[in-house]
Every structure is written in C-alpha cells, then in structure tokens.
Amino acid sequence: MGKQIIRIPEDFILGAAASAWQTEGWFGKKDFQDSYLDLWYKKDKNVWHNGYGPAIATDFYHRYSEDIRYMKEVGITHYRTSINWSRFLVDYENAIVDEDYAAYISDVIDELIRNGIEPMLCLEHYELPAILFEKYEGWNSRHVVELFVKYAEKVFERYGNRVKNWFTFNEPIVIQTRIYLDAVRWPYEQNTDKWMQWNFNKVLASAKVVQLFNEMKSKGITDGKIGIILNPEVTYPRSSAEHDVKAAQMFDLFFNRMFLDPCIKGEYPQVLFDLLEKHNVSFQYTEEDLQIIKNNIVDFVGLNLYSPKRVKARSSRWNENIPFHPEYYYENFELPGRKMNRSRGWEIYPKIMYDMAIRMKEEYGNIEWFVSENGMGVENENRFKNDEDIIQDDYRINFISEHLKWLLKAVEEGSNCKGYMLWSFTDNVSPMNAFKNRYGLVEINLDDYRNRKLKKSAYWYKKLIETKEFEVDNVNEYK
C-alpha cells in the first residue's frame, strides 16, 4: 500500500483545546462559586465514571506553567480554553470580580504569550454559575442574558487587549439538550419549551456580547475578533430516498442550523419557527431581539467535529401524548460495517471534515472558521505503553491524519478554514465519562499529578508542526 504526503499551508494553525472546568480543579473556589457542572456532580456523583469529577480535574490551576512548557515543547501555536464565569465573579448580579481568580487568568495569559502561544478564550464552556441555574433556571431567564453581558464586559476590560481571539460560547446547544430535551442529565426535566428558550437566549446573549465587544473595540479596549464555538453533527440520510433525505434535513434544522444560521447569517430559518409553532413549543422573543441578532453576527466560527450523525425516516408512530421532540421527524440509523471508536461508541468517518468545510464555503458565505475540536478518546491507554512507559497511541495519530487529510482537501478547494485544534492537549475530565476515555497528547496520571508524560502522538504532532507535512495511506475509503 502506497503512502501519500499531505502538505499543510504555512499559515494554517495547529493548536489544542480544553476548558476551565475540565482542567483547573476547585482549589481556591469559594463555596458559592459552583458552576452547573459542579452542581450536577455534587447532586449525582454516581453517574460520573468512578465518581471522579471536576474537583481536581488536571490541577491546571497549580500546574499551568508546566503544561504550557509542554505546549511549547510540542510546538503548538494556539491554545483555546475558557474563563470560568462561576469563578470569575463574587457577585453575579453586580459583576464584582474575584481578584484572586482574575489574577490567575492573567498569569495564564501572560505565560502563554511568553512562550509564543496565542491564547484563545471562551466566555462560557458549560460554566453557568449554579446560583443562576437554581435561582433563575439558568438561560431560561432574560435576566441571565443581561448578567452574562455584564460579566463579559468585566472580562474584556481586564484582558481585551492581550487576547485577540474571543468566543461567546462553546457548544451552546448541549446542556439544555441533555437536560430538557433528552432528560439524561440532572435535574432530568423533559421540557421542550425550556429547551428552546435556552437555545434562543444563548443566541441573543451571544449577539449582545458581540455588540459589546465591537463597541469596546471602537474605544480601544478590545482588539482582535469574536466568534462562537459550535458543534454541528454532519448529518447523512440512510438513503437517497426522499423520506430519508427529509429526515436528515429535519435533524440538521433542529440541531445544526439552530445556531449556525442566526450566529453566522443573522437570521433563523423561518421553517424552524413555523415547525415550533405547529408543535406548540412556546418561547419568548421580540422583534427587537431578532434585530440585535441580525446586526451582530460573529467574525469567525469554531466547529467541534467528531463523528457523523446518520438518520432515517421514522418507521413507528410518534406518541402524541408526550411533549414535542425533533425525533418526531427522524430515527437514528447505524450504518452496517461502520468504522468505530469502541471506547466512545462513536463512528469514525473522517469525510465529515470535508463535507462540513464545503458547506461552510457554499452555504455560509465562506466565513473564516477553524476546527476548534477534533480528537479520539480511548479507554485504558496504559495497555499501549512500551518499555519506556510511553503510550503508543498510533490509533490517535491515524485518526488525526485521516481527518486532517479531508480537511486540507477542502482548504485546497477554497474553504476558508484557518486551522485545526486537537481535543485535547492533556487528558482531562469530561461529563459523566470523567477520565474513562483519554483524549490528550499528554498523559495525566491520577495517582501522581506530577507525573505527566508525552504520548507518542505528542512527538508526532511536534513533527507535524515543524515540517508542515505528514503521511497517509494512499487509499480513499470514502469515495
């Protein structure tokens, strides 16, 4: 089998991503500064793998200098993480800053810049303050939208000139889908009206923060650009038949275009509002809200891309006695013979990169974008250690290579993709899975946090960054 050399454009970003709550731990956190994730963990610890949650995470709060030295050693040029809203303030109503936490964030930014790494910061990566969830039902409340804008203003005042790449949200559809649509996360309340209100209020909050950022930029307080991190699931119908194609279009409408369209185009698809009205899904918005959304689209967008979504037309009658769920229009479909990551239960289909990239070019004005997350979580990686105690994660190297190959094919064809961010730099804690599946270039030893080790993939990624080229098998599995 022959090999193909893939070359990477010189200005193409090769970085890594994480979040505050998945890395920092709770050291120095005040009792009232829980996030929604902290609250969920405390209320329902047994559903997290081995009961392990965000209390220690990767201890980045203490070990960020060490981790950043590893980043420099590997050669990554950009690092995306978040600021923990729940920890950044001591008074959420009046946006009074926690000076200890703010100093820590400042030190992390300085350390990244000192090591030649561009910080990319997100304002909310599931870190909604627990107090606001309990008091106002979180993003169900317009008041929380205004509190988020106040918080953003304080962040921009502190770091607006040092950080050039900002994001309002990471995966804004996820939390409410898990709680209110599928009822698989605490507090397990199936409520489609709340699901849609959270969706809308996050879009509105994002637009208001974009507006604020641009106003502060005109005064010289902020610099750079502001975007949003979305997680579209590239959707494929079971067949080319009209009923299956329609099912895929409906999934795409409710879960992908829900945020892609208003954030990038400034408008919701009218068909979405028509269907929500048809199914009596009630949520509050005004024409003024829609105008704010229209006038404040993002500068660029990050897309988290992991696996495809396959659907088919429903073959069974929907139970009309339960609240509306988009599954009214589709059922999940599992492709026979699909390539799988068995640890995660996800299909591996690298062509999602190409298909989404071309869609960004053709349907979304070829807006500037980048892959903000892509990676492979594998269970029990210790079984792959060699005699030097280094994890031989060739599966991760192959996964990245195949996805990059398809992404760069789309770049060659004119898609305005500026880079690729691996999830994640170190192993880190995830909702429910905790440390069960490892994603990092760097191994975290939970028995001894001082004992961090680069995996084989880290050395490969370093070479990738240095040479701007890599090899793949010269075979097209996805014609």
Side-chain angles (χ1 to χ4, degrees):
M1 185 184 297
K3 294 285 186 181
Q4 178 185 4
I5 301 293
I6 306 289
R7 291 185 170 82
I8 302 170
E10 277 303 316
D11 59 351
F12 192 80
I13 292 168
L14 291 166
S19 75
W21 79 268
Q22 290 172 283
T23 55
E24 285 174 356
W26 289 352
F27 183 85
K29 181 175 71 66
K30 298 166 180 63
D31 288 343
F32 61 85
Q33 287 181 315
D34 281 346
S35 67
Y36 162 75
L37 268 297
D38 300 327
L39 187 63
W40 172 29
Y41 174 66
K42 289 179 177 180
K43 296 280 189 181
D44 210 2
K45 193 177 295 187
N46 64 298
V47 304
W48 293 62
H49 181 67
N50 290 338
Y52 201 100
I56 301 175
T58 71
D59 197 27
F60 186 78
Y61 191 92
H62 292 118
R63 311 195 71 85
Y64 66 86
S65 293
E66 177 185 358
D67 285 348
I68 291 169
R69 283 198 303 274
Y70 279 129
M71 293 178 202
K72 184 177 182 180
E73 180 181 341
V74 172
I76 71 168
T77 57
H78 292 67
Y79 180 64
R80 177 178 75 85
T81 188
S82 60
I83 294 173
N84 190 328
W85 176 13
S86 67
R87 294 194 63 174
F88 190 75
L89 302 177
V90 292
D91 180 336
Y92 305 112
E93 302 289 341
N94 299 298
I96 297 174
V97 174
D98 184 318
E99 294 299 338
D100 292 335
Y101 185 78
Y104 153 76
I105 293 293
S106 184
D107 290 344
V108 170
I109 292 169
D110 286 347
E111 189 74 10
L112 286 165
I113 293 171
R114 198 160 37 240
N115 284 275
I117 301 163
E118 187 79 26
M120 307 175 83
L121 292 184
C122 184
L123 294 170
E124 204 260 38
H125 191 128
Y126 310 168
E127 294 124 350
L128 170 74
I131 288 173
L132 303 185
F133 183 81
E134 293 182 309
K135 187 174 181 179
Y136 301 115
E137 296 187 310
W139 291 104
N140 204 49
S141 165
R142 289 295 293 260
H143 182 58
V144 169
V145 173
E146 301 310 320
L147 296 184
F148 185 65
V149 176
K150 286 184 180 181
Y151 152 64
E153 183 175 21
K154 295 296 184 181
V155 170
F156 295 152
E157 286 173 355
R158 299 287 176 121
Y159 319 118
N161 275 314
R162 279 184 285 164
V163 178
K164 310 300 182 186
N165 295 280
W166 291 96
F167 308 96
T168 55
F169 289 94
N170 175 85
E171 299 184 348
I173 199 169
V174 168
I175 293 290
Q176 63 269 24
T177 299
R178 301 290 184 265
I179 299 173
Y180 297 119
L181 201 57
D182 298 331
V184 294
R185 290 186 184 174
W186 184 88
Y188 309 105
E189 178 190 347
Q190 208 292 316
N191 188 321
T192 310
D193 290 354
K194 283 185 183 177
W195 174 71
M196 190 57 209
Q197 192 69 64
W198 274 53
N199 288 333
F200 183 84
N201 283 349
K202 284 186 177 181
V203 170
L204 178 62
S206 182
K208 282 176 172 277
V209 169
V210 169
Q211 182 178 42
L212 171 69
F213 181 87
N214 290 328
E215 288 170 356
M216 296 178 78
K217 189 174 181 177
S218 70
K219 299 173 184 175
I221 299 169
T222 58
D223 194 9
K225 54 197 175 187
I226 188 163
I228 192 168
I229 306 289
L230 302 177
N231 59 311
E233 296 182 75
V234 184
T235 314
Y236 301 97
R238 170 182 57 177
S239 77
S240 60
E242 183 179 353
H243 50 278
D244 285 333
V245 171
K246 178 70 171 176
Q249 289 171 345
M250 296 302 268
F251 180 92
D252 183 63
L253 175 69
F254 281 104
F255 295 103
N256 297 335
R257 297 181 66 194
M258 177 75 75
F259 282 89
L260 283 165
D261 280 39
C263 293
I264 298 174
K265 296 181 176 181
E267 293 180 338
Y268 282 93
Q270 184 57 47
V271 64
L272 176 65
F273 279 15
D274 292 345
L275 288 170
L276 291 168
E277 183 178 356
K278 171 185 173 182
H279 292 285
N280 299 312
V281 177
S282 176
F283 63 105
Q284 304 302 311
Y285 68 95
T286 68
E287 289 303 316
E288 182 185 0
D289 295 338
L290 296 179
Q291 199 62 42
I292 291 170
I293 291 166
K294 186 179 183 64
N295 294 338
N296 295 284
I297 59 173
V298 294
D299 299 323
F300 68 144
V301 65
L303 300 182
N304 297 346
L305 299 169
Y306 287 97
S307 63
K309 180 70 178 183
R310 300 189 188 274
V311 299
K312 61 183 180 179
R314 286 200 68 84
S315 57
S316 58
R317 184 180 296 276
W318 183 258
N319 182 353
E320 299 290 349
N321 296 318
I322 64 175
F324 171 72
H325 188 294
E327 286 182 357
Y328 181 95
Y329 290 104
Y330 68 88
E331 290 179 353
N332 295 323
F333 172 66
E334 293 184 350
L335 182 70
R338 64 200 182 282
K339 187 176 181 180
M340 290 288 290
N341 173 1
R342 300 293 174 189
S343 295
R344 197 66 180 86
W346 287 352
E347 181 182 347
I348 298 173
Y349 188 67
K351 192 171 177 282
I352 60 171
M353 307 295 263
Y354 176 83
D355 290 339
M356 193 68 214
I358 296 302
R359 184 177 188 187
M360 295 300 287
K361 175 187 172 187
E362 295 179 351
E363 290 185 37
Y364 290 97
N366 213 17
I367 187 174
E368 179 183 328
W369 72 284
F370 69 106
V371 175
S372 41
E373 287 182 25
N374 173 251
M376 186 177 190
V378 172
E379 189 174 358
N380 189 20
E381 285 196 317
N382 284 336
R383 63 195 150 129
F384 301 113
K385 284 193 171 182
N386 66 4
D387 293 340
E388 283 87 45
D389 203 37
I390 296 172
I391 292 171
Q392 304 296 293
D393 53 342
D394 294 273
Y395 45 84
R396 181 166 290 111
I397 293 169
N398 292 336
F399 182 95
I400 299 169
S401 298
E402 286 296 320
H403 283 78
L404 267 179
K405 178 184 78 172
W406 279 102
L407 180 63
L408 292 168
K409 175 176 166 59
V411 171
E412 280 184 12
E413 295 179 19
S415 183
N416 195 18
C417 177
K418 299 299 187 181
Y420 173 92
M421 309 286 282
L422 180 69
W423 186 272
S424 57
F425 185 70
T426 67
D427 295 334
N428 58 34
V429 67
S430 298
M432 297 178 72
N433 274 299
F435 277 97
K436 176 176 177 284
N437 296 313
R438 303 300 188 97
Y439 283 87
L441 297 173
V442 179
E443 177 194 2
I444 297 290
N445 185 333
L446 298 183
D447 297 322
D448 181 2
Y449 278 85
R450 295 167 298 178
N451 189 16
R452 283 152 147 78
K453 271 194 172 65
L454 299 184
K455 304 175 188 177
K456 181 179 179 180
S457 58
Y459 297 102
W460 175 85
Y461 206 56
K462 175 181 173 70
K463 184 180 178 184
L464 178 76
I465 293 166
E466 289 172 348
T467 64
K468 288 295 178 79
E469 66 178 37
F470 61 100
E471 281 188 346
V472 293
D473 291 333
N474 194 18
V475 172
N476 183 357
E477 294 183 67
Y478 311 105
K479 291 178 182 177

